[in-house]
Amino acid sequence: MKILFAGTPEIAVPALRALNDFFEIGAVLTNADKPGPRGMQLLPSPVKVAALELGLPVLQPEHLGSEARELIGRYGCDTARLLCLR
């Protein structure tokens, strides 16, 4: 089963790592990078950092409109709603 993982905060990282051990993760959907302290630099979400460490493709659309759904569809995931943590 090829899944799409959706999450952003630190609490979602253990779930991402556990799912990666047992399933094929087609892509990881997370929020766009946010400005860090004093707005000097963009900081990735904890889920993005973990996904990149695992060698997974990361998707960060600004909005979840039709363009984002089309982008997600290109990854051929069997499910796009298996796990969604905010």
Side-chain angles (χ1 to χ4, degrees), residues 17-67:
R17 292 186 186 282
L19 287 169
N20 188 60
D21 288 343
F22 297 99
F23 298 97
E24 178 184 0
I25 297 179
V28 174
L29 179 68
T30 190
N31 285 344
D33 296 352
K34 303 288 184 195
R38 299 185 203 104
M40 300 294 290
Q41 173 180 345
L42 292 178
L43 299 177
S45 73
V47 164
K48 179 180 180 180
V49 172
L52 293 174
E53 288 172 359
L54 294 169
L56 301 171
V58 176
L59 309 177
Q60 295 181 284
E62 288 294 323
H63 304 284
L64 293 178
S66 59
E67 288 180 24

